[in-house]
Amino acid sequence: METVYDWVTVAIFAGLVVLFVQRSTAEEQPGEHDSLLLYLGAALGCAVANYVGNKGLHVLAVPLIAATILFILYYLRPFKFWPRT
């Protein structure tokens, strides 16, 4: 944990883990938005952004982090302001 990218991507990944555990232990049935592949895609986004950022490619790492966050918000919908359809 040496760079800002380490801290940011680990925080996003920790949020993914909490979201996954919360939804997998909920009494209601998980919807089609809870595919394990979506969580894998978001985790890979964190890993790639962290790797690229640690290599000094800040111009590529920051948009990757933003894209990963948007991916999580759009596909996994962790908040109520985007209702599931």
Side-chain angles (χ1 to χ4, degrees):
M1 301 286 288
E2 298 175 3
T3 67
V4 173
Y5 298 108
D6 294 334
W7 288 98
V8 170
T9 55
V10 167
I12 294 169
F13 184 75
L16 275 175
V17 170
V18 169
L19 181 64
F20 177 75
V21 170
Q22 178 207 12
R23 289 193 177 164
S24 65
T25 59
E27 290 189 20
E28 63 187 42
Q29 294 288 13
E32 63 187 47
H33 298 284
D34 289 352
S35 169
L36 196 56
L37 291 176
L38 293 176
Y39 290 96
L40 178 63
L44 284 174
C46 288
V48 171
N50 186 21
Y51 178 78
V52 170
N54 286 341
K55 292 295 181 183
L57 300 171
H58 309 295
V59 175
L60 187 57
V62 173
L64 275 173
I65 291 172
T68 301
I69 292 171
L70 289 174
F71 178 86
I72 292 168
L73 290 174
Y74 185 77
Y75 287 106
L76 295 175
R77 301 180 195 265
F79 302 112
K80 300 271 185 206
F81 60 82
W82 273 335
R84 293 180 177 216
T85 56

